[in-house]
Structure formats: structure tokens, C-alpha cells
Amino acid sequence: MVDNKELEQVNFEEKILKAKELLEKLSNPQITLSDSIKLYKTGVNELEEAQKLLDEAKLIFSVENKN
């Protein structure tokens, strides 16, 4: 069974990998402006969610260290 910490770690890693994939797609000179805007917004969203997961992990780590 996967606990929450493991699930959050997987989600964090998946979000970072997804953002990297989107960045590679943005590097394509054939991409349209419309598509690049969509990819950019999606990538920013993935990175923001990854940052939230990282902040939550830091908070949990800090609380556990104090106990």
C-alpha cells in the first residue's frame, strides 16, 4: 500500500517531468503561437502544483523534526 508521502513524492516527480516535456515541446520552432501559449500555461500550472507539494513536504518535515 502506498502512503501519502510516497504518493506526494511520485506526484511531485511526475509534475516536474511533465513540465520538462512541455518545455521540450515549446522548443519546437514549428509550434504555433496558440499552442505555445497553451503549453506555457499548462507548464506553469504543473510547476505551481509541484511547488505546493514541495512546500507541504517542508512543513511536514519541520513539524516532525520539532516533535
Side-chain angles (χ1 to χ4, degrees):
M1 186 166 167
V2 177
D3 65 16
N4 283 341
K5 289 180 185 177
E6 290 176 7
L7 185 59
E8 286 177 4
Q9 181 66 23
V10 170
N11 288 335
F12 175 79
E13 291 172 353
E14 287 176 359
K15 292 189 180 303
I16 296 298
L17 288 174
K18 178 70 174 178
K20 285 182 179 181
E21 289 172 11
L22 294 170
L23 180 60
E24 288 176 10
K25 290 180 182 179
L26 281 171
S27 299
N28 181 351
Q30 303 279 326
I31 193 169
T32 65
L33 179 60
S34 174
D35 288 342
S36 65
I37 291 170
K38 289 177 189 175
L39 289 172
Y40 175 80
K41 288 180 179 180
T42 303
V44 168
N45 186 45
E46 292 291 331
L47 291 173
E48 286 174 350
E49 290 177 9
Q51 184 63 49
K52 287 178 188 175
L53 289 169
L54 185 60
D55 291 343
E56 288 174 15
K58 286 179 183 178
L59 179 63
I60 290 169
F61 182 75
S62 296
V63 169
E64 288 182 2
N65 276 343
K66 288 182 182 179
N67 293 334

